[in-house]
């Protein structure tokens, strides 16, 4: 596993994690047996009230909150602005 972030642990001990291996991103479900890889589309298509699904939705929502949107979107084909000297490129 290249990277893993815990989403939810059930009272019974089942665990759901957002995982990445190479370029594949999936939900890893561990519940006593062999771990199960669940594709994101299938996972998100599940029970809307499931706490593990809600946890993934909440995590994705934090990405939208992290970077405020300002102004109009760039024109198609427009180059990005160059960073100022000393400015971090993320």
């Amino acid at each position: 596993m290249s990277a893993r972030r815990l989403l939810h642990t059930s009272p019974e001990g089942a665990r759901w994690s957002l995982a990445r291996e190479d370029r594949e991103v999936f939900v890893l479900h561990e519940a006593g047996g062999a771990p199960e890889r669940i594709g994101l589309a299938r996972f998100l298509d599940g029970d809307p009230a499931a706490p593990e699904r809600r946890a993934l939705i909440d995590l994705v929502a934090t990405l939208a909150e992290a970077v405020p949107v300002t102004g109009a979107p760039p024109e198609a084909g427009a180059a990005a602005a160059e960073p100022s000297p000393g400015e971090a490129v993320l």
Side-chain angles (χ1 to χ4, degrees):
M1 217 51 54
S2 295
R4 189 186 306 186
R5 180 171 178 155
L6 182 64
L7 294 171
H8 179 74
T9 301
S10 75
E12 297 80 26
R15 296 166 50 102
W16 288 264
S17 300
L18 182 61
R20 178 179 50 87
E21 189 170 290
D22 298 320
R23 297 187 64 104
E24 181 186 7
V25 178
F26 52 92
V27 172
L28 183 67
H29 179 222
E30 300 169 288
E36 176 188 12
R37 290 180 179 212
I38 306 168
L40 293 178
R42 191 179 92 177
F43 184 79
L44 290 170
D45 197 35
D47 178 5
E52 61 274 11
R53 183 181 178 278
R54 184 78 248 154
L56 179 58
I57 297 290
D58 290 345
L59 177 61
V60 170
T62 66
L63 299 174
E65 295 166 0
V67 181
V69 177
T70 57
E75 293 181 25
E82 291 291 322
S84 300
E87 183 178 28
V89 178
L90 303 175

